[in-house]
Amino acid sequence: MAKYVMALDAGTTSNRCILFNEKGEICSMAQKEFTQYYPQPGWVEHDANEIWQTQLSVARKAMQNVGASYTDIAAIGITNQRETVILWDRKTGQPVYHAIVWQCRRTADMKAELMEKYPDIADAAYHKTGLVFDPYFSGTKLRWILNNVPGVRERAEAGELAFGTVDSWLIYKLTKGKVHATDFSNASRTLLFNINTCDWDDELCKQLEVPKSVLPTAKPSSADFGESDPEFFGGPIPIRGVAGDQQAALFGQTCYTPGEAKNTYGTGCFMLMNIGDKPLYPNNGLLTTIAWGLDGKVEYALEGSVFVAGAAIQWLRDELKIVDQSPDSEYFATRVKDTNGCYVVPAFTGLGAPYWDPYARGSIVGLTRGVNKYHLIRATLESLAFQTSDVLAAMEEGSGVKLSALKVDGGACKNNFLMQFQSDIINAKVQRPQCVETTAMGASYLAGLAVGFWSSKQDVIKNWALDREFEPEMDADTRAKELKLWKKAVGTTLGWAKD
Ligand code: ADP
């Protein structure tokens, strides 16, 4: 009997491998960073071969740590940085260019050009793909490679090239070129995939000049993605789970009922809410995305992202130098009873959902002579909770569901002050699980469910264990006043960098 499911967690700065047992416990973990390339301001690239080599080495390391052989592993689940684009030669497996990373802004002008050429493209794309027409997603990045790397368009038209997000690339490498596939959750981030019909969209492919021959087969997230080649782990291991990182985290947090939501507090914040088996298009700054395809069904989620969250704590640490380490922010914030009327809006790179203002810039408002560094630290931490509250309000409006509990994960969810304030400001419980490796966990669940390692979602839910629950303690008047002042503070940042 196999003892583990292997999760390959291909992140933006590092790749990890975790072996989970049946109880969802971490039995082994290995992690390795890889190179970030910044060839021009605003451009971000990775070396796809390095991504593969790093991922393979941590997978082998995780197996070695516990002396596991391939027969000990029931299945592989893959989760990955989303939207990042790789284009490679089907025969040789050689990428034709570096991977263009989701953060890369090189296609900002292309977006404007396409919107001029096709005035309806943004609206049509939203109703087909659930996405905002933005350079962030894969479509324009793929078009950039096709149009800018010499000879590539001809090779693509001739059927010689394969496109994929990082999941597809790893599947291709693991199967030694036998399988070229992706899952619905990753496909739904490309701007090329119709989330209503679960198929690549002819018109968007045409408008973005993407030959359909380069596209991978899109499958449910818990499905047959082939077997790893025996060369890698001593024998074949079935690949049975694939999901983009945020959707995998939603799955790992066992948000299986419509209305359940999770928020990840990392560099930025990503909130996803399960909305069931029909997409909604609230048109209020949120994305609609496929959560996963499972058991012959597709489920959808609303998604809202905050660009600067934990990064604001890094700013306190690295630029202001008023904390030595991010976790110290908790101690300092609790040295004072409030922020003394001060609000920090860390709109360093504009504002994401629900404002989508690229011209917003950060501000500190409400300063009086008595505001000290503790107040400033507290106000910065509170800004993570306020931004989350704005996204949640849009989600509640968009879904018609009032959230009763928010499940949390990510580095900054360990901050108890922040979690209590979060609960206070959204007037809902905040639940932190014992295992916050929810992304890898979600990928392993999707794979394990496909091979019967776990029998059903109910079986998996049993593994979710509470570390701590935070309940709202703030009175309604204070909450209303706080939210009003926060909104006023946000108002000072909007449009700041516009001519
Ligand atoms: P990512 O996956 O985006 O790299 P992580 O989930 O590893 O992020 O979280 C790291 C982020 O969380 C950093 O930005 C860091 O400043 C912040 N962070 C980590 N621990 C704490 C803490 N105890 N309090 C506040 N912020 C924290």
Side-chain angles (χ1 to χ4, degrees):
M1 271 292 282
K3 296 184 225 162
Y4 313 111
V5 173
M6 175 188 275
L8 301 181
D9 182 353
T12 305
T13 56
S14 72
N15 285 338
R16 296 190 306 158
C17 174
I18 301 183
L19 302 183
F20 288 98
N21 67 12
E22 212 185 308
K23 291 186 195 148
E25 293 162 341
I26 295 175
C27 300
S28 178
M29 163 141 66
Q31 174 165 9
K32 201 165 175 209
E33 293 195 1
F34 53 82
T35 319
Q36 309 287 315
Y37 295 89
Y38 304 105
Q40 289 189 30
W43 290 32
V44 191
E45 296 178 358
H46 294 154
D47 174 348
N49 281 324
E50 192 185 356
I51 291 181
W52 158 242
Q53 287 303 337
T54 315
Q55 191 64 73
L56 178 63
S57 74
V58 292
R60 285 173 165 161
K61 180 91 190 346
M63 287 174 74
Q64 269 166 19
N65 286 347
V66 286
S69 93
Y70 76 96
T71 51
D72 293 322
I73 297 176
I76 296 175
I78 298 175
T79 181
N80 54 290
Q81 50 162 322
R82 303 177 300 174
E83 295 112 10
T84 296
V85 169
I86 304 168
L87 189 65
W88 68 91
D89 185 297
R90 285 182 187 281
K91 276 219 186 82
T92 65
Q94 271 313 307
V96 302
Y97 190 77
H98 269 176
I100 303 188
V101 180
W102 57 275
Q103 296 153 319
C104 185
R105 304 298 299 177
R106 80 181 63 193
T107 55
D109 291 343
M110 187 193 291
K111 168 193 157 173
E113 178 200 318
L114 284 164
M115 285 179 72
E116 204 164 296
K117 192 164 170 197
Y118 305 107
D120 297 332
I121 197 167
D123 197 47
Y126 177 58
H127 286 96
K128 285 175 177 175
T129 68
L131 306 175
V132 172
F133 192 72
D134 193 271
Y136 183 88
F137 304 104
S138 316
T140 54
K141 294 179 156 94
L142 176 54
R143 185 177 184 261
W144 190 95
I145 300 181
L146 288 163
N147 287 353
N148 288 278
V149 183
V152 158
R153 177 160 294 283
E154 293 70 31
R155 289 166 68 193
E157 304 282 358
E160 291 170 22
L161 302 182
F163 149 74
T165 39
V166 172
D167 55 310
S168 302
W169 169 244
L170 293 177
I171 295 167
Y172 174 89
K173 295 302 277 186
L174 280 167
T175 62
K176 277 211 165 163
K178 287 202 182 72
V179 181
H180 181 214
T182 187
D183 90 299
F184 294 160
S185 74
N186 274 296
S188 73
R189 315 298 296 187
T190 58
L191 260 182
L192 302 168
F193 193 72
N194 187 318
I195 61 171
N196 306 285
T197 58
C198 288
D199 205 356
W200 302 107
D201 187 82
D202 286 335
E203 192 183 14
L204 284 168
C205 287
K206 209 161 149 214
Q207 290 171 331
L208 286 159
E209 295 162 23
V210 172
K212 286 188 85 179
S213 64
V214 302
L215 299 173
T217 308
K219 296 183 167 208
S221 315
S222 185
D224 186 344
F225 293 89
E227 268 76 45
S228 67
D229 191 89
E231 174 194 324
F232 302 124
F233 307 117
I237 307 176
I239 307 166
R240 293 292 181 272
V242 177
D245 53 9
Q246 299 307 321
Q247 288 98 328
L250 189 70
F251 202 84
Q253 286 274 27
T254 68
C255 294
Y256 302 150
T257 310
E260 286 192 296
K262 70 91 198 173
N263 194 29
T264 301
Y265 298 80
T267 309
C269 274
F270 286 93
M271 193 192 292
L272 271 77
M273 178 188 269
N274 183 324
I275 53 170
D277 57 9
K278 302 222 163 37
L280 296 168
Y281 298 97
N283 220 340
N284 65 353
L286 300 176
L287 307 176
T288 307
T289 201
I290 294 183
W292 47 73
L294 177 72
D295 298 335
K297 227 170 71 175
V298 169
E299 292 190 88
Y300 296 86
L302 289 179
E303 173 173 329
S305 39
V306 166
F307 299 146
V308 176
I313 312 303
Q314 291 171 335
W315 168 71
L316 296 177
R317 183 191 67 190
D318 302 339
E319 273 72 30
L320 299 193
K321 301 192 193 308
I322 54 178
V323 298
D324 284 334
Q325 292 176 25
S326 296
D328 296 346
S329 59
E330 178 170 353
Y331 167 75
F332 290 126
T334 52
R335 292 280 301 266
V336 284
K337 69 176 190 347
D338 56 30
T339 68
N340 203 355
C342 162
Y343 292 81
V344 173
V345 186
F348 302 147
T349 54
L351 284 172
Y355 304 100
W356 289 105
D357 182 356
Y359 302 106
R361 289 296 179 270
S363 75
I364 305 174
V365 296
L367 290 179
T368 49
R369 180 67 172 75
V371 171
N372 62 35
K373 79 169 193 177
Y374 305 125
H375 297 122
L376 206 57
I377 292 167
R378 188 173 174 123
T380 306
L381 273 174
E382 289 187 359
S383 77
L384 275 61
F386 280 124
Q387 293 186 93
T388 296
S389 163
D390 287 342
V391 174
L392 182 61
M395 271 191 187
E396 292 185 332
E397 182 200 271
S399 65
V401 176
K402 167 84 185 95
L403 190 85
S404 60
L406 180 66
K407 290 177 169 173
V408 297
D409 50 51
C413 87
K414 296 189 190 104
N415 189 308
N416 292 322
F417 163 77
L418 171 61
M419 293 301 109
Q420 181 58 50
F421 187 76
Q422 185 68 83
S423 171
D424 287 342
I425 218 70
I426 61 174
N427 197 24
K429 288 180 199 159
V430 166
Q431 297 173 331
R432 183 171 62 202
Q434 282 173 14
C435 178
V436 290
E437 295 295 346
T438 55
T439 305
M441 220 171 188
S444 76
Y445 287 163
L446 287 164
L449 282 168
V451 294
F453 191 78
W454 291 289
S455 60
S456 65
K457 282 196 265 182
Q458 290 316 314
D459 198 17
V460 158
I461 287 175
K462 286 196 297 229
N463 291 340
W464 193 95
L466 187 71
D467 167 47
R468 187 164 163 188
E469 181 167 81
F470 300 84
E471 293 206 43
E473 289 168 358
M474 189 180 269
D475 66 77
D477 284 351
T478 311
R479 182 180 310 114
K481 190 176 139 235
E482 285 291 339
L483 285 169
K484 192 170 155 199
L485 286 166
W486 164 255
K487 288 263 154 64
K488 209 167 156 184
V490 170
T492 65
T493 70
L494 299 176
W496 181 263
K498 212 167 191 162
D499 290 344

